[in-house]
Amino acid sequence: DCVVCLAGSFCPTGSNVETPCDPGTFSAYNGAGICDRCKAGKFQDTSGATGCRNCTAGHYCSEGSSAPLPCPAGRRTNPDLAVMTSADDCIECLAGSFCATGSDAESPCDPGTFTADDGAGICDKCEAGTFQSLPGQTTCEACVAGSYCPEGASAPLPCPAGRRTNPDLDVMTSVDDCIVCSEGTFCPTGSDVALACDPGTFTAANESGICERCG
């Protein structure tokens, strides 16, 4: 006698044994002659299944998917779509943010980084001589006078006391770029120029942050 094939398998006409449904297909009931393909927006990664699973966030699933496929870098889930079936359904992430492969939502760029255009998979570091203190930005700002800004700076770093801006440099990227203030002047932290000591005060050596009172 012929017996009914179980759910999760199929039996074509003249079958001797039941055959498990392939990944991407299923049979929900006993007695199937063929397996059904998973609907768009669902997938099944195992064989012998009786149903399919909902697609993973940040991914798309076409009809008959055996695995969820991730949105490519620079794109993310489209919240306006109930089902995403192709990479074209993933939407571009906005400037000031980035989306790694398989992103459900865009992530703002960290301070010290930026993205100028839509569709970025990673954020760019601020160039040397610039900085960005805020997250989610599309540009970086020029470094502040009396400070230096290495690549990826999230804040301008002030020249230490006794040093100042080097006027011969277009960009200062390290503390070594700050030049020593000469004797007879002083430079508080973050100085752009050296300041002359007031009458009744002096500095006997280079690199002074304050002037001393005459004894």
Side-chain angles (χ1 to χ4, degrees):
D1 292 340
C2 297
V3 296
V4 174
C5 297
L6 299 178
S9 67
F10 71 103
C11 295
T13 301
S15 293
N16 186 35
V17 295
E18 61 191 17
T19 303
C21 292
D22 290 330
T25 67
F26 72 103
S27 62
Y29 305 104
N30 296 340
I34 59 172
C35 295
D36 298 313
R37 300 179 76 187
C38 291
K39 292 181 179 179
K42 294 181 177 291
F43 76 99
Q44 182 50 257
D45 55 357
T46 61
S47 59
T50 59
C52 297
R53 301 159 60 187
N54 289 331
C55 204
T56 306
H59 295 64
Y60 59 92
C61 294
S62 58
E63 183 182 26
S65 290
S66 59
L69 298 174
C71 286
R75 291 178 170 264
R76 64 176 176 89
T77 296
N78 186 341
D80 295 328
L81 295 179
V83 172
M84 299 206 308
T85 62
S86 74
D88 291 336
D89 289 337
C90 304
I91 59 174
E92 278 195 326
C93 299
L94 298 178
S97 69
F98 73 101
C99 292
T101 301
S103 290
D104 183 35
E106 59 194 19
S107 301
C109 291
D110 290 331
T113 68
F114 73 103
T115 55
D117 302 307
D118 295 345
I122 58 172
C123 296
D124 299 313
K125 288 183 177 182
C126 291
E127 293 181 356
T130 67
F131 76 99
Q132 182 50 258
S133 58
L134 300 175
Q137 299 302 301
T138 59
T139 60
C140 298
E141 300 180 33
C143 205
V144 177
S147 298
Y148 59 94
C149 292
E151 183 185 41
S154 59
L157 301 172
C159 287
R163 289 175 172 263
R164 64 178 176 89
T165 296
N166 186 340
D168 295 329
L169 295 179
D170 293 329
V171 173
M172 299 208 308
T173 61
S174 76
V175 68
D176 293 334
D177 290 337
C178 302
I179 59 174
V180 171
C181 299
S182 59
E183 61 182 278
T185 67
F186 72 105
C187 294
T189 299
S191 291
D192 185 32
V193 296
L195 303 174
C197 290
D198 290 333
T201 66
F202 74 102
T203 57
N206 295 335
E207 204 166 350
S208 293
I210 57 172
C211 295
E212 299 178 49
R213 299 178 69 179
C214 295

